[in-house]
Amino acid sequence: MKKLDRNAALASWFFYQTYGVDKKVSTPQKLHYLSLLLACAKADGDVSQKEMDYFIGAAFARGCTEEMVEALIESETTIDLSTEVVNFIEVNPNAKKSDVLSLLYSAMQVCAADGTYSTEEVNAIRKISSLLGISKEELQKVEDFFAKELSLKQEARVLFVG
């Protein structure tokens, strides 16, 4: 029997459950993607505990090790949005539009994890979108999908929690 790789299995499950695809992502790609998520959450001047908890879960779901997550958390105080966009482009020179759209969607999720999706966070996501060549119309589609998801989560809470 093949030895199970917990992190790889979790990442595979996550990508299938979230995006409907089985996706393999290199460690540098994963780290720069996650750094951008953290930079967005920090855009309003603070990464709340709920945002950090969501971020940590997102990192583990993408197959990160504890050491990788700890290094990302330690970088939070010095992380810079524009630098992280450049780093993302360097490790993803042939990124597909779908990769960038999923990045924007994930950034929205992290930013809103504390129940607040601030103007500064919205502007950070719009800046990333612009720098990575996503049109306003394409970003609007992601924002609309995100709003639908929030509504469905609220319905789920009512249904399953009461």
Side-chain angles (χ1 to χ4, degrees):
M1 181 174 172
K2 182 180 173 186
K3 183 179 178 186
L4 296 177
D5 180 342
R6 179 184 182 279
N7 292 340
L10 182 58
S12 178
W13 177 87
F14 169 79
F15 282 113
Y16 185 77
Q17 290 300 312
T18 306
Y19 306 111
V21 297
D22 184 22
K23 187 170 186 157
K24 306 291 186 247
V25 180
S26 74
T27 297
Q29 290 172 322
K30 190 182 319 184
L31 293 176
H32 289 298
Y33 184 102
L34 290 164
S35 292
L36 269 172
L37 300 186
L38 196 55
C40 287
K42 181 184 169 185
D44 61 2
D46 177 52
V47 178
S48 72
Q49 188 59 53
K50 287 185 177 184
E51 287 172 328
M52 185 58 75
D53 290 345
Y54 190 96
F55 172 80
I56 292 167
F60 282 131
R62 286 169 172 80
C64 286
T65 64
E66 281 186 44
E67 294 79 16
M68 292 163 74
V69 174
E70 288 170 359
L72 286 163
I73 292 168
E74 288 174 15
S75 74
E76 183 258 325
T77 57
T78 59
I79 203 163
D80 174 71
L81 184 71
S82 296
T83 302
E84 289 309 321
V85 170
V86 170
N87 291 339
F88 179 82
I89 292 168
E90 284 179 4
V91 297
N92 296 284
N94 300 314
K96 297 177 188 171
K97 186 182 297 185
S98 60
D99 295 331
V100 177
L101 295 176
S102 73
L103 167 71
L104 299 171
Y105 170 69
S106 296
M108 291 172 195
Q109 291 177 308
V110 172
C111 290
D114 61 358
T116 303
Y117 187 34
S118 73
T119 301
E120 295 87 358
E121 291 167 332
V122 170
N123 289 339
I125 291 168
R126 288 182 179 162
K127 180 177 181 178
I128 292 170
S129 176
S130 175
L131 291 171
L132 295 177
I134 299 300
S135 71
K136 289 180 182 179
E137 293 79 16
E138 291 166 318
L139 177 60
Q140 186 62 55
K141 287 179 184 178
V142 176
E143 289 172 335
D144 291 347
F145 181 80
F146 178 65
K148 286 179 192 175
E149 179 195 44
L150 288 178
S151 177
L152 286 173
K153 283 183 179 177
Q154 184 58 35
E155 285 184 42
R157 278 187 209 101
V158 170
L159 180 63
F160 300 121
V161 180

